[in-house]
Amino acid sequence: MGATVISNEHALDGGPGPLGATYGKLMMWFFILSDALTFSGFLASYGFSRFKYIETWPIADEVFNHFPFAHGVNAPMYYVALMTFILIFSSVTMVLAVDAGHHMKKNKVAVYMALTIVGGFIFLGSQAWEWKNFIKGEYGAVETKGGSILQFVKKGANGEYERVALADFALVLPEDRAQLNRNNGFWFMEEATIPSHSINEVLQGFKADESILVRTEIINAEKEKTVLSREESLKRIAETKYVVEGANLVRNEYGSKLFANFFFFITGFHGFHVFTGVMINIIIFFNVLLGTYDKRNSYEMVEKVGLYWHFVDLVWVFVFTFFYLV
């Protein structure tokens, strides 16, 4: 009786399984599917909130209008578009790495993997810079007792209303200021940091400069925030309770608080995926240099991490569309 030979290839690198895919690739597709459902739930929740509070939702062109080394230049969406291009280009280099792996070209795989890693790091650094500007803010605003956000504007040389920063009109008064927390206020009143200006300094400065008006968070028929008359502005400013600078999980100078909550959570969750992908790419990159996949006579591991990277890029397209374009 002849002996039966049983193949014992590694499950992650071995022969075809269901639908002709190896076990490792099949598991990667299962993970991508489950993660896609997770992101779909997050974005659907964002969409419902976005249209429920459509009249007070921040205008993306006003929030994401910064560009590195161009302080004071209004560049709406330019840097976000550049970030998106870099991430998509990194997906192209990943495709080239996978193709080079199919042809067993070790050096080309290493080069394209390195370019993909660099692209991932640039995107992460860009996202961190964007977070910094979002958290810090540029102009500042005030929040009323009812929770509404009031911004400040004045007519520019072209006759259009332009944002005015608190520092441009707030007075500097001899006041003793302490950080508001639960020990020196009510249990529900707390500040993460002390604002640059007190409520009284903002109020007195506003009253002293009659050219400044209040802009509410309500979007009018012209798709712009509503600017009040001087008389209406004085009435609304009297309801001020907090000075708001930048955005956090509690207050948001740009408008609806939910916008900041969703922004931090969804872009942060995606950023974590990009960071994870970069770390995995680095591991695969060093394995390529060590000749691990040449010894296995297969670069399937590069293909599997490529599937994950393409998924991360595709998710960003949807995040970009929901947060920045809609």
mmCIF file of all heavy atoms in Angstrom, residues 43-79:
data_model
loop_
_atom_site.group_PDB
_atom_site.id
_atom_site.type_symbol
_atom_site.label_atom_id
_atom_site.label_comp_id
_atom_site.label_asym_id
_atom_site.label_seq_id
_atom_site.Cartn_x
_atom_site.Cartn_y
_atom_site.Cartn_z
ATOM 1 N N LEU A 43 -20.659 56.863 10.160
ATOM 2 C CA LEU A 43 -20.983 57.887 9.167
ATOM 3 C C LEU A 43 -22.486 58.086 9.042
ATOM 4 O O LEU A 43 -22.950 59.208 8.811
ATOM 5 C CB LEU A 43 -20.371 57.514 7.813
ATOM 6 C CG LEU A 43 -18.835 57.557 7.762
ATOM 7 C CD1 LEU A 43 -18.333 57.074 6.403
ATOM 8 C CD2 LEU A 43 -18.321 58.968 8.048
ATOM 9 N N ALA A 44 -23.249 57.007 9.196
ATOM 10 C CA ALA A 44 -24.711 57.151 9.164
ATOM 11 C C ALA A 44 -25.183 57.985 10.351
ATOM 12 O O ALA A 44 -26.061 58.849 10.214
ATOM 13 C CB ALA A 44 -25.367 55.775 9.182
ATOM 14 N N SER A 45 -24.590 57.748 11.522
ATOM 15 C CA SER A 45 -24.931 58.536 12.703
ATOM 16 C C SER A 45 -24.583 60.000 12.489
ATOM 17 O O SER A 45 -25.354 60.902 12.844
ATOM 18 C CB SER A 45 -24.185 57.986 13.921
ATOM 19 O OG SER A 45 -24.467 58.739 15.076
ATOM 20 N N TYR A 46 -23.421 60.240 11.892
ATOM 21 C CA TYR A 46 -23.022 61.621 11.579
ATOM 22 C C TYR A 46 -24.026 62.264 10.622
ATOM 23 O O TYR A 46 -24.425 63.416 10.804
ATOM 24 C CB TYR A 46 -21.634 61.642 10.950
ATOM 25 C CG TYR A 46 -21.231 62.999 10.425
ATOM 26 C CD1 TYR A 46 -20.640 63.940 11.264
ATOM 27 C CD2 TYR A 46 -21.448 63.348 9.099
ATOM 28 C CE1 TYR A 46 -20.283 65.193 10.788
ATOM 29 C CE2 TYR A 46 -21.096 64.592 8.612
ATOM 30 C CZ TYR A 46 -20.512 65.504 9.457
ATOM 31 O OH TYR A 46 -20.171 66.745 8.985
ATOM 32 N N GLY A 47 -24.430 61.502 9.598
ATOM 33 C CA GLY A 47 -25.367 62.040 8.620
ATOM 34 C C GLY A 47 -26.698 62.422 9.233
ATOM 35 O O GLY A 47 -27.249 63.497 8.935
ATOM 36 N N PHE A 48 -27.225 61.584 10.113
ATOM 37 C CA PHE A 48 -28.496 61.903 10.769
ATOM 38 C C PHE A 48 -28.367 63.171 11.614
ATOM 39 O O PHE A 48 -29.237 64.046 11.580
ATOM 40 C CB PHE A 48 -28.948 60.734 11.647
ATOM 41 C CG PHE A 48 -29.592 59.612 10.881
ATOM 42 C CD1 PHE A 48 -29.052 58.339 10.911
ATOM 43 C CD2 PHE A 48 -30.733 59.825 10.118
ATOM 44 C CE1 PHE A 48 -29.634 57.291 10.192
ATOM 45 C CE2 PHE A 48 -31.333 58.804 9.402
ATOM 46 C CZ PHE A 48 -30.774 57.527 9.437
ATOM 47 N N SER A 49 -27.286 63.274 12.372
ATOM 48 C CA SER A 49 -27.082 64.454 13.220
ATOM 49 C C SER A 49 -26.864 65.699 12.375
ATOM 50 O O SER A 49 -27.341 66.789 12.696
ATOM 51 C CB SER A 49 -25.884 64.231 14.149
ATOM 52 O OG SER A 49 -26.101 63.127 14.992
ATOM 53 N N ARG A 50 -26.123 65.521 11.288
ATOM 54 C CA ARG A 50 -25.828 66.651 10.397
ATOM 55 C C ARG A 50 -27.105 67.293 9.856
ATOM 56 O O ARG A 50 -27.254 68.517 9.842
ATOM 57 C CB ARG A 50 -24.953 66.145 9.243
ATOM 58 C CG ARG A 50 -24.838 67.059 8.026
ATOM 59 C CD ARG A 50 -23.924 68.229 8.333
ATOM 60 N NE ARG A 50 -23.627 68.984 7.140
ATOM 61 C CZ ARG A 50 -24.428 69.888 6.577
ATOM 62 N NH1 ARG A 50 -25.615 70.124 7.108
ATOM 63 N NH2 ARG A 50 -24.056 70.567 5.511
ATOM 64 N N PHE A 51 -28.045 66.482 9.431
ATOM 65 C CA PHE A 51 -29.262 67.035 8.843
ATOM 66 C C PHE A 51 -30.330 67.357 9.891
ATOM 67 O O PHE A 51 -31.254 68.112 9.616
ATOM 68 C CB PHE A 51 -29.800 66.084 7.779
ATOM 69 C CG PHE A 51 -28.959 66.083 6.537
ATOM 70 C CD1 PHE A 51 -28.044 65.079 6.299
ATOM 71 C CD2 PHE A 51 -29.052 67.123 5.631
ATOM 72 C CE1 PHE A 51 -27.246 65.091 5.157
ATOM 73 C CE2 PHE A 51 -28.260 67.153 4.493
ATOM 74 C CZ PHE A 51 -27.359 66.133 4.251
ATOM 75 N N LYS A 52 -30.185 66.817 11.082
ATOM 76 C CA LYS A 52 -31.096 67.204 12.158
ATOM 77 C C LYS A 52 -30.791 68.616 12.634
ATOM 78 O O LYS A 52 -31.701 69.396 12.958
ATOM 79 C CB LYS A 52 -30.986 66.223 13.328
ATOM 80 C CG LYS A 52 -31.922 66.552 14.476
ATOM 81 C CD LYS A 52 -31.816 65.530 15.598
ATOM 82 C CE LYS A 52 -32.766 65.877 16.736
ATOM 83 N NZ LYS A 52 -32.685 64.885 17.848
ATOM 84 N N TYR A 53 -29.494 68.964 12.669
ATOM 85 C CA TYR A 53 -29.075 70.293 13.113
ATOM 86 C C TYR A 53 -28.486 71.078 11.944
ATOM 87 O O TYR A 53 -27.483 71.773 12.093
ATOM 88 C CB TYR A 53 -28.052 70.170 14.239
ATOM 89 C CG TYR A 53 -28.565 69.421 15.447
ATOM 90 C CD1 TYR A 53 -28.244 68.085 15.647
ATOM 91 C CD2 TYR A 53 -29.389 70.051 16.374
ATOM 92 C CE1 TYR A 53 -28.718 67.389 16.747
ATOM 93 C CE2 TYR A 53 -29.873 69.363 17.476
ATOM 94 C CZ TYR A 53 -29.533 68.033 17.656
ATOM 95 O OH TYR A 53 -30.009 67.346 18.744
ATOM 96 N N ILE A 54 -29.111 70.972 10.777
ATOM 97 C CA ILE A 54 -28.556 71.550 9.558
ATOM 98 C C ILE A 54 -28.434 73.067 9.644
ATOM 99 O O ILE A 54 -27.550 73.669 9.029
ATOM 100 C CB ILE A 54 -29.410 71.129 8.343
ATOM 101 C CG1 ILE A 54 -28.699 71.480 7.032
ATOM 102 C CG2 ILE A 54 -30.797 71.750 8.407
ATOM 103 C CD1 ILE A 54 -29.355 70.872 5.815
ATOM 104 N N GLU A 55 -29.309 73.716 10.418
ATOM 105 C CA GLU A 55 -29.291 75.180 10.484
ATOM 106 C C GLU A 55 -28.145 75.722 11.325
ATOM 107 O O GLU A 55 -27.807 76.900 11.215
ATOM 108 C CB GLU A 55 -30.622 75.696 11.044
ATOM 109 C CG GLU A 55 -31.808 75.465 10.121
ATOM 110 C CD GLU A 55 -33.076 76.070 10.662
ATOM 111 O OE1 GLU A 55 -33.081 76.444 11.857
ATOM 112 O OE2 GLU A 55 -34.054 76.188 9.909
ATOM 113 N N THR A 56 -27.564 74.895 12.190
ATOM 114 C CA THR A 56 -26.492 75.374 13.062
ATOM 115 C C THR A 56 -25.176 74.629 12.826
ATOM 116 O O THR A 56 -24.231 74.811 13.586
ATOM 117 C CB THR A 56 -26.889 75.224 14.541
ATOM 118 O OG1 THR A 56 -27.124 73.833 14.830
ATOM 119 C CG2 THR A 56 -28.141 76.012 14.854
ATOM 120 N N TRP A 57 -25.124 73.804 11.784
ATOM 121 C CA TRP A 57 -23.907 73.014 11.550
ATOM 122 C C TRP A 57 -22.807 73.930 11.015
ATOM 123 O O TRP A 57 -23.056 74.803 10.188
ATOM 124 C CB TRP A 57 -24.199 71.898 10.557
ATOM 125 C CG TRP A 57 -23.349 70.691 10.749
ATOM 126 C CD1 TRP A 57 -22.318 70.281 9.958
ATOM 127 C CD2 TRP A 57 -23.455 69.721 11.790
ATOM 128 N NE1 TRP A 57 -21.772 69.113 10.446
ATOM 129 C CE2 TRP A 57 -22.462 68.758 11.569
ATOM 130 C CE3 TRP A 57 -24.300 69.590 12.897
ATOM 131 C CZ2 TRP A 57 -22.286 67.658 12.416
ATOM 132 C CZ3 TRP A 57 -24.126 68.509 13.731
ATOM 133 C CH2 TRP A 57 -23.131 67.560 13.495
ATOM 134 N N PRO A 58 -21.565 73.761 11.482
ATOM 135 C CA PRO A 58 -20.468 74.605 10.988
ATOM 136 C C PRO A 58 -20.276 74.476 9.473
ATOM 137 O O PRO A 58 -20.523 73.419 8.893
ATOM 138 C CB PRO A 58 -19.249 74.062 11.739
ATOM 139 C CG PRO A 58 -19.816 73.422 12.966
ATOM 140 C CD PRO A 58 -21.136 72.851 12.551
ATOM 141 N N ILE A 59 -19.827 75.556 8.852
ATOM 142 C CA ILE A 59 -19.526 75.560 7.420
ATOM 143 C C ILE A 59 -18.083 75.119 7.250
ATOM 144 O O ILE A 59 -17.150 75.763 7.754
ATOM 145 C CB ILE A 59 -19.746 76.958 6.824
ATOM 146 C CG1 ILE A 59 -21.208 77.372 7.004
ATOM 147 C CG2 ILE A 59 -19.354 76.980 5.355
ATOM 148 C CD1 ILE A 59 -21.500 78.802 6.578
ATOM 149 N N ALA A 60 -17.878 74.008 6.534
ATOM 150 C CA ALA A 60 -16.547 73.398 6.427
ATOM 151 C C ALA A 60 -15.513 74.361 5.855
ATOM 152 O O ALA A 60 -14.352 74.368 6.283
ATOM 153 C CB ALA A 60 -16.627 72.134 5.579
ATOM 154 N N ASP A 61 -15.897 75.192 4.894
ATOM 155 C CA ASP A 61 -14.949 76.123 4.280
ATOM 156 C C ASP A 61 -14.409 77.131 5.277
ATOM 157 O O ASP A 61 -13.319 77.686 5.082
ATOM 158 C CB ASP A 61 -15.616 76.871 3.125
ATOM 159 C CG ASP A 61 -15.750 76.010 1.883
ATOM 160 O OD1 ASP A 61 -15.184 74.901 1.885
ATOM 161 O OD2 ASP A 61 -16.428 76.425 0.922
ATOM 162 N N GLU A 62 -15.162 77.400 6.340
ATOM 163 C CA GLU A 62 -14.710 78.346 7.364
ATOM 164 C C GLU A 62 -13.886 77.651 8.445
ATOM 165 O O GLU A 62 -13.049 78.289 9.089
ATOM 166 C CB GLU A 62 -15.909 79.042 8.007
ATOM 167 C CG GLU A 62 -16.688 79.919 7.062
ATOM 168 C CD GLU A 62 -17.831 80.626 7.761
ATOM 169 O OE1 GLU A 62 -18.058 80.349 8.965
ATOM 170 O OE2 GLU A 62 -18.494 81.466 7.117
ATOM 171 N N VAL A 63 -14.126 76.367 8.649
ATOM 172 C CA VAL A 63 -13.427 75.632 9.702
ATOM 173 C C VAL A 63 -12.058 75.158 9.215
ATOM 174 O O VAL A 63 -11.044 75.323 9.900
ATOM 175 C CB VAL A 63 -14.270 74.431 10.173
ATOM 176 C CG1 VAL A 63 -13.510 73.650 11.245
ATOM 177 C CG2 VAL A 63 -15.616 74.894 10.693
ATOM 178 N N PHE A 64 -12.012 74.576 8.020
ATOM 179 C CA PHE A 64 -10.770 73.986 7.503
ATOM 180 C C PHE A 64 -10.200 74.877 6.408
ATOM 181 O O PHE A 64 -10.159 74.514 5.232
ATOM 182 C CB PHE A 64 -11.056 72.582 6.972
ATOM 183 C CG PHE A 64 -11.779 71.706 7.952
ATOM 184 C CD1 PHE A 64 -13.123 71.421 7.791
ATOM 185 C CD2 PHE A 64 -11.119 71.189 9.069
ATOM 186 C CE1 PHE A 64 -13.796 70.619 8.704
ATOM 187 C CE2 PHE A 64 -11.790 70.393 9.993
ATOM 188 C CZ PHE A 64 -13.129 70.112 9.805
ATOM 189 N N ASN A 65 -9.759 76.061 6.800
ATOM 190 C CA ASN A 65 -9.257 77.031 5.829
ATOM 191 C C ASN A 65 -7.804 77.426 6.090
ATOM 192 O O ASN A 65 -7.342 78.480 5.649
ATOM 193 C CB ASN A 65 -10.137 78.286 5.832
ATOM 194 C CG ASN A 65 -10.134 78.983 7.191
ATOM 195 O OD1 ASN A 65 -9.698 78.416 8.194
ATOM 196 N ND2 ASN A 65 -10.633 80.206 7.231
ATOM 197 N N HIS A 66 -7.081 76.572 6.808
ATOM 198 C CA HIS A 66 -5.682 76.871 7.104
ATOM 199 C C HIS A 66 -4.758 76.117 6.156
ATOM 200 O O HIS A 66 -5.121 75.081 5.598
ATOM 201 C CB HIS A 66 -5.341 76.488 8.551
ATOM 202 C CG HIS A 66 -6.221 77.145 9.563
ATOM 203 N ND1 HIS A 66 -7.427 76.600 9.976
ATOM 204 C CD2 HIS A 66 -6.089 78.306 10.252
ATOM 205 C CE1 HIS A 66 -7.988 77.389 10.877
ATOM 206 N NE2 HIS A 66 -7.195 78.441 11.052
ATOM 207 N N PHE A 67 -3.547 76.653 6.025
ATOM 208 C CA PHE A 67 -2.518 75.984 5.234
ATOM 209 C C PHE A 67 -1.182 76.229 5.927
ATOM 210 O O PHE A 67 -0.912 77.343 6.374
ATOM 211 C CB PHE A 67 -2.474 76.520 3.798
ATOM 212 C CG PHE A 67 -1.874 75.564 2.819
ATOM 213 C CD1 PHE A 67 -2.671 74.654 2.147
ATOM 214 C CD2 PHE A 67 -0.505 75.552 2.591
ATOM 215 C CE1 PHE A 67 -2.125 73.746 1.251
ATOM 216 C CE2 PHE A 67 0.059 74.654 1.705
ATOM 217 C CZ PHE A 67 -0.755 73.747 1.031
ATOM 218 N N PRO A 68 -0.333 75.190 6.050
ATOM 219 C CA PRO A 68 0.949 75.352 6.760
ATOM 220 C C PRO A 68 1.793 76.491 6.191
ATOM 221 O O PRO A 68 1.873 76.668 4.972
ATOM 222 C CB PRO A 68 1.631 73.990 6.550
ATOM 223 C CG PRO A 68 0.510 73.035 6.308
ATOM 224 C CD PRO A 68 -0.535 73.812 5.570
ATOM 225 N N PHE A 69 2.397 77.249 7.081
ATOM 226 C CA PHE A 69 3.299 78.346 6.738
ATOM 227 C C PHE A 69 2.603 79.458 5.947
ATOM 228 O O PHE A 69 3.262 80.236 5.262
ATOM 229 C CB PHE A 69 4.512 77.836 5.941
ATOM 230 C CG PHE A 69 5.173 76.638 6.555
ATOM 231 C CD1 PHE A 69 5.095 75.400 5.947
ATOM 232 C CD2 PHE A 69 5.866 76.754 7.757
ATOM 233 C CE1 PHE A 69 5.697 74.280 6.518
ATOM 234 C CE2 PHE A 69 6.473 75.646 8.337
ATOM 235 C CZ PHE A 69 6.388 74.412 7.711
ATOM 236 N N ALA A 70 1.287 79.530 6.034
ATOM 237 C CA ALA A 70 0.529 80.582 5.347
ATOM 238 C C ALA A 70 -0.486 81.152 6.325
ATOM 239 O O ALA A 70 -1.693 81.100 6.087
ATOM 240 C CB ALA A 70 -0.152 80.033 4.094
ATOM 241 N N HIS A 71 -0.010 81.663 7.436
ATOM 242 C CA HIS A 71 -0.892 82.175 8.480
ATOM 243 C C HIS A 71 -1.668 83.383 7.969
ATOM 244 O O HIS A 71 -1.116 84.296 7.347
ATOM 245 C CB HIS A 71 -0.075 82.575 9.707
ATOM 246 C CG HIS A 71 -0.926 83.089 10.839
ATOM 247 N ND1 HIS A 71 -1.762 82.275 11.576
ATOM 248 C CD2 HIS A 71 -1.085 84.349 11.340
ATOM 249 C CE1 HIS A 71 -2.388 82.995 12.484
ATOM 250 N NE2 HIS A 71 -1.998 84.246 12.363
ATOM 251 N N GLY A 72 -2.973 83.376 8.228
ATOM 252 C CA GLY A 72 -3.809 84.486 7.816
ATOM 253 C C GLY A 72 -4.351 84.372 6.403
ATOM 254 O O GLY A 72 -5.170 85.185 5.990
ATOM 255 N N VAL A 73 -3.895 83.380 5.650
ATOM 256 C CA VAL A 73 -4.372 83.174 4.283
ATOM 257 C C VAL A 73 -5.592 82.268 4.312
ATOM 258 O O VAL A 73 -5.558 81.186 4.910
ATOM 259 C CB VAL A 73 -3.267 82.544 3.403
ATOM 260 C CG1 VAL A 73 -3.810 82.244 2.004
ATOM 261 C CG2 VAL A 73 -2.063 83.471 3.328
ATOM 262 N N ASN A 74 -6.670 82.719 3.685
ATOM 263 C CA ASN A 74 -7.891 81.913 3.646
ATOM 264 C C ASN A 74 -7.781 80.899 2.507
ATOM 265 O O ASN A 74 -7.895 81.256 1.334
ATOM 266 C CB ASN A 74 -9.113 82.809 3.441
ATOM 267 C CG ASN A 74 -10.413 82.034 3.499
ATOM 268 O OD1 ASN A 74 -10.531 81.051 4.238
ATOM 269 N ND2 ASN A 74 -11.398 82.459 2.731
ATOM 270 N N ALA A 75 -7.533 79.644 2.854
ATOM 271 C CA ALA A 75 -7.356 78.583 1.856
ATOM 272 C C ALA A 75 -8.310 77.433 2.179
ATOM 273 O O ALA A 75 -7.891 76.378 2.649
ATOM 274 C CB ALA A 75 -5.916 78.098 1.850
ATOM 275 N N PRO A 76 -9.604 77.639 1.926
ATOM 276 C CA PRO A 76 -10.592 76.612 2.308
ATOM 277 C C PRO A 76 -10.383 75.298 1.582
ATOM 278 O O PRO A 76 -10.362 75.259 0.350
ATOM 279 C CB PRO A 76 -11.926 77.264 1.933
ATOM 280 C CG PRO A 76 -11.585 78.287 0.897
ATOM 281 C CD PRO A 76 -10.228 78.780 1.257
ATOM 282 N N MET A 77 -10.204 74.251 2.347
ATOM 283 C CA MET A 77 -10.137 72.868 1.871
ATOM 284 C C MET A 77 -8.855 72.528 1.116
ATOM 285 O O MET A 77 -8.672 71.391 0.691
ATOM 286 C CB MET A 77 -11.335 72.544 0.968
ATOM 287 C CG MET A 77 -12.684 72.964 1.510
ATOM 288 S SD MET A 77 -13.057 72.203 3.098
ATOM 289 C CE MET A 77 -13.303 70.539 2.600
ATOM 290 N N TYR A 78 -7.941 73.480 0.924
ATOM 291 C CA TYR A 78 -6.743 73.207 0.131
ATOM 292 C C TYR A 78 -5.876 72.135 0.783
ATOM 293 O O TYR A 78 -5.409 71.199 0.127
ATOM 294 C CB TYR A 78 -5.917 74.483 -0.063
ATOM 295 C CG TYR A 78 -6.510 75.493 -1.010
ATOM 296 C CD1 TYR A 78 -7.828 75.366 -1.466
ATOM 297 C CD2 TYR A 78 -5.786 76.589 -1.446
ATOM 298 C CE1 TYR A 78 -8.381 76.300 -2.321
ATOM 299 C CE2 TYR A 78 -6.328 77.527 -2.315
ATOM 300 C CZ TYR A 78 -7.624 77.380 -2.748
ATOM 301 O OH TYR A 78 -8.171 78.295 -3.599
ATOM 302 N N TYR A 79 -5.648 72.304 2.081
ATOM 303 C CA TYR A 79 -4.756 71.358 2.751
ATOM 304 C C TYR A 79 -5.414 69.993 2.900
ATOM 305 O O TYR A 79 -4.751 68.964 2.804
ATOM 306 C CB TYR A 79 -4.330 71.900 4.112
ATOM 307 C CG TYR A 79 -3.152 71.150 4.694
ATOM 308 C CD1 TYR A 79 -1.971 71.048 3.986
ATOM 309 C CD2 TYR A 79 -3.222 70.537 5.942
ATOM 310 C CE1 TYR A 79 -0.880 70.360 4.494
ATOM 311 C CE2 TYR A 79 -2.150 69.855 6.459
ATOM 312 C CZ TYR A 79 -0.970 69.774 5.731
ATOM 313 O OH TYR A 79 0.102 69.081 6.232
#
